[in-house]
Amino acid sequence: MREVPVFGRARIARRLASVSLLAIAQAACAPADPPHEEGGDAALGALVVSIDALGARHVGAYDAAHATTPRFDRLAARGALFERVYAQQTWTLTSHVSMLSGLYVATHGASSHTPARAGTPMLASILREEGFATAAFVSAGGYMKPDFGLGRGFDAYVVNDDGAATLDAARAWLALQAAARARDPEHRFLAFVHFYDVHSDVGTEWPYRAPDDFVARVFPDGVDWDRRGDTQLLVEMRRRGDATPRDLEVLHGLYDAEVLHADERRLGALLDALRELALDASTLVVATSDHGEELFEHGRGSHQSAYDEVARVPLAIAGPGVPRGARAAAWSELVDVAPTVLDALGLDVPASMQGESLLPLLDGRAAQSAVAHVDGRMPGLYGDYSSAIARDVEGVPWTLVGFVDLDLTRTTEDERAFALRGPGELYRLDDDPLQRHDLAAAEPALARRLARELLAWYDANERAAAAFAAPPDGGADAVAPGRALLSDAERERLRAIGYAE
């Protein structure tokens, strides 16, 4: 992998330093987040917020050079911030199914053509069985449609194409929960809210197009850039390989403007509503993302690799039972979200879930997690995507990035086996957090060790998948033969934003 220099970081940092002064002033005027005491009873409600395509590197709590997320940062400060969290796949559908099921992708089985397996233990289904009111509010259709298994267990699953409409619908439903809580102090609920604003889009002036006032906060003198185009501009820039330092500087700034907007007008507004409804003290809040975004750090735009700019996502949790100001450096994964929510609500985590609650990391009940995985095998959707494994070796954080294929020499009619294509790329993350210096040739034994562990994880997930296979009659969640999960129009829009089949 050739090294790709980072362009424009200093200039963007200077711009965002001026943004930070504005953000501080605005935060001072905004209602303060409520004080939160450590310990206490289990939460009575849970609010899980996913901001699509938000990478950890563009969140202030992880990188002080980015003053883009004051509301996320304040949420983390009154609860816990998880520093090394990886998505299970770097695209929307399967990542969210893993987030809400606690299962790896090969195990739950959702794909661009099939829903999650019928036996998948979805968080909303578990909570509804426990008497919780459940609702999801999603600001993009396509691969976030309930048909793929995401809708299971939700009393209501509301899809809007507009983030403001999603916010309004979520606030209205939370008001109903506040009224129910007034009648019954033990009323419990789960709300899942998905915002799409940061994601690149179609039919826009630029791939990332925040409202003008947010663009002006990053580019106070205007955007002096001669390129125009929506998501397809990223595709064209990759194909031609003609991205200039100025192009990359502007793309980073436009993306950060979207992050500013999503943090203030989506996450921040939702947290304000929770406080105004007096639900904040009893509600667990989880804020995260399904994947990040590459802005040509490794030669691509969008989110089509397992490098950290794409695979590493933010995660902050606050609410009852979460110690204030905690930071966890453990390797964590999105499959840990559902078990963590169940634990915070005082409920048992099903043994079938592959993720684990993160709360024990915060109070000394568990040692640091050992490893995190990213699954790049998405046949028929993206084509060639890399996978990754990240772990500490003798106290040093490493990651191996490579392409995993079926091993035809070991695959049989009844069982599939996997192989790594070549040695992979090996990075030492403490010395090389931007993953620019491949050490696979210098550390071949370590590269082989991590490759074996990654392939063993693939093999184990193939075996685990059998436990969630649908019954012979297909079960209640089966898709009727011949029924398409997506319309032609939905497929065309998905192709336009990079989900090519």
Side-chain angles (χ1 to χ4, degrees), residues 467-486:
F468 298 99
D473 63 359
D477 294 310
V479 179
R483 180 170 72 83
L485 289 170
L486 296 170

Side-chain angles (χ1 to χ4, degrees), residues 202-223:
V202 297
T204 51
E205 182 182 11
W206 303 305
Y208 311 101
R209 188 59 173 99
D212 288 345
D213 52 334
F214 287 89
V215 174
R217 285 161 63 173
V218 178
F219 297 95
D221 299 324
V223 182

Side-chain angles (χ1 to χ4, degrees), residues 97-111:
V97 177
S98 287
M99 182 193 303
L100 296 176
S101 71
L103 296 182
Y104 294 120
V105 177
T107 310
H108 64 62
S111 74

Side-chain angles (χ1 to χ4, degrees), residues 432-462:
D432 183 24
L434 298 181
Q435 297 168 293
R436 307 219 169 270
H437 306 291
D438 177 10
L439 299 178
E443 300 279 356
L446 180 56
R448 288 194 297 270
R449 171 187 168 180
L450 294 182
R452 287 194 300 270
E453 292 187 16
L454 178 61
L455 297 177
W457 176 75
Y458 269 99
D459 290 339
N461 284 328
E462 283 290 310

